[in-house]
Amino acid sequence: MARWWRRALAYDGDERDTVRIIGKSTLAATLAWLVSYVALDARSPAFAPFSAVLIMQVTVYRSVVQSLRYVGAVVAGVAVQAALGFLAGPDLLTFVLVAVIALAIGRWHVLGVQGPQVATAAFFAFSTYTSASGDSQRLRALGEIVLLVLIGCAIGIAVNVLVAPPLRYRGAEYGIRSLAHTLKDLLADMYPVLAEGVPDQDTTGRWRTRAARTGGMIGQAWWGLETSKESLHLNPRRLLRRYRGHPGFQGYESVLGALERTLYQVAALTRGLDRSREEEDEARGPFLRRYAAFLEAAGEVAEVLTTLDETTLLPQAKRLARLTDDAEARRDDVVEETRERSLSLADPSMPYGILVTEATRLLEEFRYTSRVLLEVAQAAERSKGGGSRRRPRRRSAEGG
């Protein structure tokens, strides 16, 4: 627990997000309770704090969307109960009809995850309806439920907007770093083994398994990117000066796509290495040593991506371009090795052509990534310095 709190206080991550959402939810629930219980003296004041906590989401945009769906679900449930209650009375058959209709409405895809709240609201409304006496009191009680839900949602959104609204610029970076760490660790395990010779079946099988498990991580990285983009909508913090020079997410989206393809290329590469055990020849060892040097250079490229940071994006992009040049030189050494030893790249029974092809594709993705990051970093630098550019000095009449 002490380590958890140190992480929460040290940097902006999952731990700090947890503290932030708990604190904001507590504040929103307390304010909603004060309004509903103290100010309005409502019969069921818990509806307001419950609603405030329910719509407290990781982004302001998501809070607004979920609050609209939740209010719609509650209104639908209360309306069903009101219509059937006033027509048929508060008996068992009425409750059955309310349950059937509310559960059916809750299946409507427009309500999304708030669909079950239709039945929940209808059941609470039925309980409130049966405990009230007289049509006017019943109507007032049902209207109070809707009012409390609206108050709770309004307070929840207001707290989410005004108190440290989540702006997840770094979420895209976290996803890229995570995938890059996976790529770097896999390459770091592969090239020392290849430098020593042909790997055994257990080793290549372990590489293939690790490469195949990256699908879930890729999905999480894309979710992080979408959440980062979503956090900009309806968020007042994006108008602050410190966020105006942000490079945006288009470049990160391209980099994430390139990393996804790179991991697929590495998975194909591990399958090619698995084939390299099938037939031994004297050229296999020297070729794999050259290939190990290429994978080591590729791992250095991936290592840069593990520390991707928007505040130092330009020097990182330039370093990435230099390391990509080094990786290309190592790839050229691999190709030269096949020429010197007259290794067939077209023979499908031999692994050389497959491995050279995968190395070339891997290099193309690295080159594309370095180019995209360099363009994004240069555009961000221009936007930051756009307001403070100096005017060019006017030349004198003598041309000096």
Side-chain angles (χ1 to χ4, degrees):
M1 185 176 293
R3 287 194 299 269
W4 191 95
W5 275 106
R6 281 197 295 268
R7 290 194 298 270
L9 297 174
Y11 57 87
D12 196 5
D14 292 337
E15 292 82 3
R16 185 173 294 181
D17 285 342
T18 301
V19 173
R20 185 183 296 120
I21 198 71
I22 290 176
K24 292 168 64 172
S25 298
T26 302
L27 176 61
T30 303
L31 294 176
W33 176 263
L34 288 174
V35 172
S36 60
Y37 181 75
V38 177
L40 298 181
D41 192 23
R43 296 180 57 185
S44 302
F47 275 105
F50 173 78
S51 303
V53 172
L54 183 67
I55 60 94
M56 187 67 66
Q57 301 289 326
V58 294
T59 64
V60 174
Y61 173 78
R62 197 171 297 178
S63 289
V64 173
V65 171
Q66 292 304 322
S67 66
L68 292 175
R69 289 175 173 172
Y70 176 58
V71 169
V74 170
V75 169
V78 172
V80 169
Q81 160 56 34
L84 294 178
F86 283 109
L87 288 176
D91 53 23
L92 181 60
L93 179 60
T94 303
F95 180 84
V96 172
L97 293 176
V98 168
V100 170
I101 296 175
L103 290 171
I105 295 175
R107 306 287 295 181
W108 191 21
H109 72 279
V110 174
L111 297 176
V113 296
Q114 303 299 338
Q117 300 298 335
V118 178
T120 302
F123 297 155
F124 274 108
F126 190 89
S127 175
T128 301
Y129 183 86
T130 56
S131 62
S133 58
D135 290 345
S136 60
Q137 188 176 1
R138 289 170 176 171
L139 189 61
R140 180 172 174 237
L142 295 179
E144 184 181 88
I145 294 176
V146 176
L147 177 62
L148 292 175
V149 167
L150 289 173
I151 291 174
C153 290
I155 292 176
I157 292 175
V159 170
N160 208 13
V161 170
L162 299 176
V163 181
L167 193 57
R168 296 174 173 266
Y169 278 139
R170 297 300 177 92
E173 291 179 1
Y174 295 152
I176 292 175
R177 290 176 185 175
S178 178
L179 291 182
H181 267 295
T182 301
L183 176 61
K184 185 199 73 157
D185 292 343
L186 182 57
L187 294 176
D189 287 347
M190 292 170 64
Y191 75 79
V193 177
L194 295 180
E196 296 178 357
V198 180
D200 57 35
Q201 183 177 4
D202 291 339
T203 301
T204 56
R206 186 168 62 251
W207 292 343
R208 292 184 64 175
T209 301
R210 288 176 59 185
R213 283 202 302 258
T214 58
M217 297 183 63
I218 291 172
Q220 292 177 0
W222 281 112
W223 181 86
L225 176 61
E226 292 302 318
T227 303
S228 299
K229 293 164 62 176
E230 186 183 273
S231 69
L232 294 180
H233 304 319
L234 308 177
N235 197 320
R237 288 177 66 188
R238 64 187 177 87
L239 303 177
L240 299 177
R241 183 184 299 274
R242 58 179 295 193
Y243 296 111
R244 291 179 185 176
H246 185 267
F249 296 105
Q250 185 174 0
Y252 288 161
E253 187 172 357
S254 301
V255 172
L256 187 54
L259 264 178
E260 179 180 5
R261 294 189 297 270
T262 298
L263 287 169
Y264 290 148
Q265 298 300 333
V266 171
L269 189 150
T270 58
R271 292 192 293 269
L273 289 171
D274 203 20
R275 290 187 55 187
S276 69
R277 301 176 295 94
E278 297 175 359
E279 295 184 11
E280 293 290 342
D281 58 64
E282 62 180 10
R284 194 71 54 89
F287 172 83
L288 290 179
R289 282 193 290 273
R290 295 281 192 179
Y291 211 84
F294 164 74
L295 292 183
E296 184 178 7
E300 293 177 356
V301 176
E303 186 174 5
V304 175
L305 295 176
T306 62
T307 58
L308 191 66
D309 191 337
E310 66 175 35
T311 61
T312 58
L313 194 57
L314 186 57
Q316 284 183 320
K318 292 179 178 179
R319 181 165 179 251
L320 193 65
R322 291 194 299 270
L323 291 176
T324 302
D325 291 337
D326 295 340
E328 185 173 10
R330 302 290 80 77
R331 192 282 312 268
D332 293 342
D333 291 342
V334 174
V335 176
E336 185 63 27
E337 182 72 19
T338 62
R339 291 173 182 169
E340 291 178 357
R341 297 181 177 273
S342 300
L343 302 178
S344 175
L345 301 181
D347 187 355
S349 64
M350 304 298 287
Y352 305 116
I354 296 175
L355 292 177
V356 170
T357 299
E358 298 303 338
T360 302
R361 290 174 177 172
L362 193 64
L363 185 63
E364 289 174 353
E365 296 299 342
F366 284 148
R367 180 69 65 189
Y368 172 76
T369 301
S370 64
R371 186 173 64 250
V372 168
L373 284 180
L374 187 59
E375 292 174 354
V376 170
Q378 290 174 342
E381 289 294 322
R382 288 193 298 268
S383 65
K384 288 180 181 179
S388 59
R389 291 178 181 173
R390 295 181 179 179
R391 295 183 180 179
R393 290 186 298 176
R394 184 177 300 175
R395 294 189 177 184
S396 63
E398 290 80 5

